[in-house]
Amino acid sequence: MNYFDGLSFSVADLDKKRSGIKTNLPKYYGVQFFHTGGVYLQIDQKKEYKLDTPAVFLTSPGRRFDYGPLAETGHHYCICFCGPRVARYIESGLFPLHP
């Protein structure tokens, strides 16, 4: 079994000078990782999270994500994907949809 069968990778990026808050209404499932600069995160315009350390969070279709580094700039890595394999990740708990 190939672990990546049934996945299409839409975006893979590294932004070393990420600044400002981004509003994301994703069409894909994603893993967002802020390596430096801390991170601000708000999901569906509800509770705000602010972490001064590296942080990772998941994004998914049907939700609104507002996020960005706490410092003036920060390193942001992301990988986004879609496909039938994602449903199995969600069912197994590998990709939880609850914030």
Side-chain angles (χ1 to χ4, degrees), residues 34-64:
F34 281 79
H35 181 256
T36 59
V39 67
Y40 166 88
L41 170 64
Q42 185 179 31
I43 303 170
D44 295 329
Q45 297 180 301
K46 295 182 180 172
K47 184 177 177 180
E48 297 177 0
Y49 300 90
K50 293 180 181 180
L51 300 169
D52 289 326
T53 61
V56 65
F57 59 93
L58 307 175
T59 53
S60 58
R63 310 206 66 176
R64 175 185 167 145

Side-chain angles (χ1 to χ4, degrees), residues 2-90:
N2 183 336
Y3 187 77
F4 298 107
D5 283 350
L7 283 181
S8 296
F9 292 91
S10 321
V11 177
D13 193 24
L14 161 61
D15 189 342
K16 291 186 178 183
K17 295 183 179 179
R18 178 87 166 86
S19 63
I21 302 300
K22 173 182 180 179
T23 296
N24 186 2
L25 302 166
K27 296 179 183 178
Y28 312 106
Y29 296 87
V31 178
Q32 312 292 331
F33 175 57
F34 281 79
H35 181 256
T36 59
V39 67
Y40 166 88
L41 170 64
Q42 185 179 31
I43 303 170
D44 295 329
Q45 297 180 301
K46 295 182 180 172
K47 184 177 177 180
E48 297 177 0
Y49 300 90
K50 293 180 181 180
L51 300 169
D52 289 326
T53 61
V56 65
F57 59 93
L58 307 175
T59 53
S60 58
R63 310 206 66 176
R64 175 185 167 145
F65 297 87
D66 297 288
Y67 56 86
L70 292 176
E72 189 172 319
T73 62
H75 291 175
H76 175 212
Y77 302 80
C78 72
I79 186 162
C80 299
F81 48 89
C82 60
R85 183 84 182 214
V86 178
R88 288 182 277 193
Y89 292 163
I90 293 167

